[in-house]
Amino acid sequence: MSALSLITLVSLVSTVFAKEWDAHPPQQHRHWAQICHGNPTNKIRGCDKYGCGAYGADRHSGKGKHVGVDVICADGATVYAPFSGQLSGPIRFFHNGNAIDDGVQITGSGYCVKLICIHPIRYHGTIQRGQELGRMLPMQRVFPGIVSHIHVENCDRSDPTALLKPDILPFPQQDQYWAAVCSGNPTNEIRGCDRYGCGYYGAPRGNGKGKHVGVDVICADGATVYAPFSGQLSGPIKFFHNGNAIDDGVQIKGRGFCVKLLCIHPIRYSGTIAKGQVLGRMLPMQRVFPGITSHIHVENCDRSDPTRNLEMGKRKRI
């Protein structure tokens, strides 16, 4: 192939890739995250004796229309932020102070939505997509026999149904990369070396008699920890077996992966979790190893190297 032909081919490939990159920029979510624990697809309430949950459903004996959608959510279930943004509230829907007359608004990421019939952890400040937002209120106490749900209403009263569908990645192979594991470390930076040792996979352990079979992802004591991928939780996982301040962790299995995250305290040890959702908190590593680079020990269940999965989908430059 001539040099001119090679340049032309590279230019063509670069142009096509650039168009794909513009159409599907990294970390852009065209759909919202899971809103309620136990409802990973944001399934919408059907019809019951109180009415129907779809956008535009009849209200007030046919004199009005439903201007939101009702996402199924069990009373007391954990509620998550559908996208990143700024919180404001409280939002009162019934204006009568009943057991479900609470909610919050989120504005950001190009969206503005009200989530009603929930009690948020807070009414102000910022929140990240997938972070815990609050709890579902006791709807059965007010409407016995109803399909309990969160009322999800766009601020401009447009139809949010399409946004509630699960994300479909434009490049399926990108799902091999895990989400950020720790707040404050968006690229899953791995611990270097300090007086206690090194954090990379295969680093010497036990005075050179062993090898590190995981990687240490930098994470400040007390920081929020997120699920690297969607899956099933199990635990607790004890690494030190001595009950010290960091002897806790959890396993996640799903999407073709199985990993143990150690030196964290998870919100729960069982059930399902979605990629990017809050998993727990980093434990006080400085209390056990003063001066160490605090980190989460990330170990594949088969003890293979997880480094590539933690690279956040970085593309190599030629």
Side-chain angles (χ1 to χ4, degrees):
M1 182 182 290
S2 68
L4 180 59
S5 298
L6 180 59
I7 291 171
T8 302
L9 177 60
V10 171
S11 177
L12 177 60
V13 171
S14 298
T15 301
V16 171
F17 179 78
K19 288 181 179 179
E20 288 294 321
W21 190 257
D22 289 339
H24 307 294
Q27 299 184 354
Q28 176 175 323
H29 299 283
R30 294 180 296 165
H31 302 94
W32 295 346
Q34 176 183 353
I35 291 177
C36 179
H37 176 70
N39 183 3
T41 60
N42 290 327
K43 185 177 180 181
I44 296 172
R45 165 192 173 214
C47 297
D48 51 43
K49 65 177 180 176
Y50 294 96
C52 301
Y55 182 82
D58 285 337
R59 288 293 185 270
H60 309 299
S61 302
K63 296 178 182 178
K65 296 290 184 182
H66 192 208
V67 294
V69 295
D70 296 339
V71 173
I72 296 172
C73 193
D75 290 10
T78 303
V79 179
Y80 307 105
F83 52 83
S84 301
Q86 186 76 27
L87 300 172
S88 61
I91 304 295
R92 307 300 185 190
F93 186 74
F94 298 95
H95 300 285
N96 60 7
N98 67 21
I100 58 174
D101 196 16
D102 197 4
V104 72
Q105 178 175 297
I106 309 177
T107 305
S109 304
Y111 306 113
C112 178
V113 72
K114 299 174 183 177
L115 282 80
I116 312 296
C117 305
I118 72 167
H119 180 63
I121 292 173
R122 60 184 185 277
Y123 295 107
H124 303 285
T126 58
I127 195 165
Q128 297 298 309
R129 173 188 170 98
Q131 280 190 347
E132 184 175 348
L133 177 62
R135 292 278 173 179
M136 177 67 198
L137 288 169
M139 187 167 280
Q140 296 300 316
R141 191 184 304 173
V142 181
F143 301 111
I146 199 170
V147 176
S148 291
H149 61 270
I150 301 166
H151 176 79
V152 179
E153 182 179 315
N154 277 338
C155 298
D156 63 2
R157 296 197 163 192
S158 59
D159 186 359
T161 305
L163 297 168
L164 291 163
K165 296 177 181 177
D167 262 324
I168 301 173
L169 292 174
F171 301 106
Q173 67 272 22
Q174 284 186 358
D175 202 39
Q176 67 183 295
Y177 297 107
W178 296 345
V181 174
C182 179
S183 63
N185 184 3
T187 59
N188 288 327
E189 182 181 355
I190 295 172
R191 165 193 172 215
C193 297
D194 52 44
R195 64 190 177 101
Y196 293 96
C198 303
Y200 61 87
Y201 183 83
R205 288 292 186 271
N207 296 320
K209 297 178 181 179
K211 298 289 185 183
H212 192 208
V213 294
V215 296
D216 297 338
V217 175
I218 296 172
C219 193
D221 291 9
T224 303
V225 179
Y226 306 104
F229 52 84
S230 300
Q232 187 75 26
L233 300 171
S234 61
I237 305 295
K238 305 298 186 184
F239 184 74
F240 297 95
H241 301 286
N242 60 8
N244 68 22
I246 58 174
D247 197 14
D248 198 3
V250 72
Q251 177 178 293
I252 309 177
K253 186 175 183 179
R255 300 293 177 92
F257 305 115
C258 179
V259 73
K260 299 174 184 177
L261 282 80
L262 308 176
C263 307
I264 72 166
H265 180 64
I267 291 173
R268 58 184 185 278
Y269 296 106
S270 60
T272 59
I273 196 165
K275 180 177 181 176
Q277 283 187 351
V278 175
L279 177 61
R281 291 278 173 182
M282 177 67 198
L283 288 169
M285 187 167 281
Q286 296 300 316
R287 190 184 305 171
V288 181
F289 300 111
I292 199 171
T293 302
S294 291
H295 60 270
I296 301 165
H297 176 80
V298 179
E299 181 179 315
N300 278 339
C301 298
D302 64 1
R303 296 196 163 193
S304 60
D305 187 357
T307 305
R308 180 171 173 78
N309 298 118
L310 290 161
E311 290 179 338
M312 303 296 295
K314 296 175 191 172
R315 297 175 183 271
K316 292 182 179 179
R317 297 182 181 272
I318 298 175

